[in-house]
Amino acid sequence: MENTCIICAKQANSPDIVWQDELVSISHMVRHPDGTDNYLGYYMLETRRHVKGMYDATEEEMAAVGVMLRRLSRAMKQVLGAAHVYAFFIGEGVDHLHAHVVARYPDTPRAYWGPAVDEWPEAPRGSLKDIRKLDADIRNVLLEQPRDLD
Ligand SMILES: [Zn+2]
C-alpha cells in the first residue's frame, strides 16, 4: 500500500465503503460531498491490493472483480430501476485498478449513452445523505444475493 493512494486510503477507513472483502471493494462516487448534484448510481469497484492495471492483477482478483460486477449491476437494476449498467476500466487518473460502474436510467437520451451517461442534466442526483441511503439499499441486496449462478 502506498500512503499517497486515495483508493488505498479510502479502503482503510471510510464511511464510503458499501461492501468489501479480501479481494475487492465497492463504494459510491462522491464528487460533491456538500452538494446535491451527485449522480446517483455511480459506483467504484476496486481491487484491495494496490495494482496499477488488469495486467498486474492475479486471476483470482480478476475473477472476484467479474463476480462483483455481476452482483453489483444486478443490485443497481433492482434498487435504481436502471435500464442498463456500464463498467468502465480506464485507470489513467489513479494508479489503482478500479472500474466505474454506472447506471443508465430508462429515459436517458441516446446522446448520453456510454461514458457521458452521468452528464445527462435530468438524471437522478442527490446529496451525500441520499447516497448513504442508496448505499444501504445496495448493501442489503448484495448481502441477500446468492453467490451461485441462478
Ligand atoms: Zn492504492
Side-chain angles (χ1 to χ4, degrees):
M1 169 172 160
E2 296 178 6
N3 291 332
T4 54
C5 174
I6 60 169
I7 290 179
C8 285
K10 175 177 63 180
Q11 291 180 6
N13 180 25
S14 172
D16 290 336
I17 301 301
V18 176
W19 186 93
Q20 67 183 11
D21 64 11
E22 67 278 8
L23 293 175
V24 292
S25 178
I26 293 171
S27 52
H28 196 285
M29 174 73 84
V30 183
R31 289 194 200 276
H32 311 289
D34 300 320
T36 58
D37 55 344
N38 296 280
Y39 188 93
L40 296 176
Y42 195 125
Y43 282 92
M44 304 300 295
L45 173 61
E46 307 146 352
T47 55
R48 296 298 308 278
R49 203 161 59 91
H50 186 90
V51 295
K52 177 170 168 42
M54 292 178 273
Y55 37 79
D56 290 326
T58 65
E59 290 198 347
E60 184 186 23
E61 284 167 331
M62 289 310 295
V65 166
V67 168
M68 288 314 299
L69 282 174
R70 177 178 185 270
R71 296 182 68 200
L72 176 60
S73 62
R74 289 167 69 94
M76 289 165 71
K77 287 191 71 143
Q78 181 178 330
V79 171
L80 293 163
H84 190 51
V85 179
Y86 301 113
F88 308 115
F89 290 86
I90 300 166
E92 307 271 33
V94 181
D95 275 357
H96 185 139
L97 178 58
H98 58 278
H100 304 245
V101 186
V102 190
R104 174 169 65 75
Y105 291 94
D107 298 334
T108 308
R110 185 67 183 82
Y112 292 99
W113 289 18
V117 70
D118 63 325
E119 295 172 16
W120 180 37
E122 316 283 315
R125 295 171 195 278
S127 64
L128 187 57
K129 187 178 174 188
D130 297 323
I131 290 173
R132 293 283 185 263
K133 168 72 170 68
L134 174 59
D135 287 349
D137 291 345
I138 291 285
R139 183 183 300 115
N140 285 337
V141 173
L142 288 175
L143 292 172
E144 286 165 9
Q145 283 182 4
R147 298 220 57 160
D148 56 330
L149 299 173
D150 54 19

